[in-house]
Coordinates of all heavy atoms in Angstrom, one line a residue:
I42 N 7.9 -4.7 -6.9 CA 6.4 -4.4 -6.9 C 6.2 -3.3 -5.8 O 5.1 -3.2 -5.3 CB 5.6 -5.6 -6.6 CG1 6.1 -6.3 -5.3 CG2 5.7 -6.6 -7.7 CD1 5.2 -7.5 -4.9
D142 N -1.7 -3.8 1.0 CA -0.9 -4.0 -0.2 C -0.1 -5.3 0.0 O 1.2 -5.3 -0.1 CB 0.0 -2.8 -0.4 CG 0.9 -2.9 -1.7 OD1 0.5 -3.7 -2.6 OD2 1.9 -2.2 -1.8
K145 N -3.0 -10.5 -2.4 CA -4.3 -10.1 -2.8 C -5.4 -11.1 -2.4 O -6.6 -10.7 -2.3 CB -4.3 -9.9 -4.3 CG -3.2 -8.9 -4.7 CD -2.9 -7.7 -3.9 CE -1.6 -7.0 -4.3 NZ -1.1 -6.1 -3.3
D168 N -4.3 -1.4 -2.8 CA -3.4 -1.3 -4.0 C -3.8 -2.5 -4.9 O -4.3 -3.5 -4.7 CB -2.0 -1.4 -3.5 CG -1.0 -0.9 -4.6 OD1 -1.5 -0.2 -5.5 OD2 0.2 -1.3 -4.6
N169 N -3.4 -2.1 -6.2 CA -3.4 -3.2 -7.2 C -4.8 -3.8 -7.5 O -4.9 -5.0 -7.8 CB -2.4 -4.3 -6.9 CG -1.0 -3.8 -6.4 OD1 -0.7 -3.9 -5.4 ND2 -0.4 -3.2 -7.4
Ligands
LIG3 MG1 1.1 -3.1 -4.5

Side-chain angles (χ1 to χ4, degrees):
I42 56 176
D142 189 20
K145 313 312 174 196
D168 196 23
N169 310 113

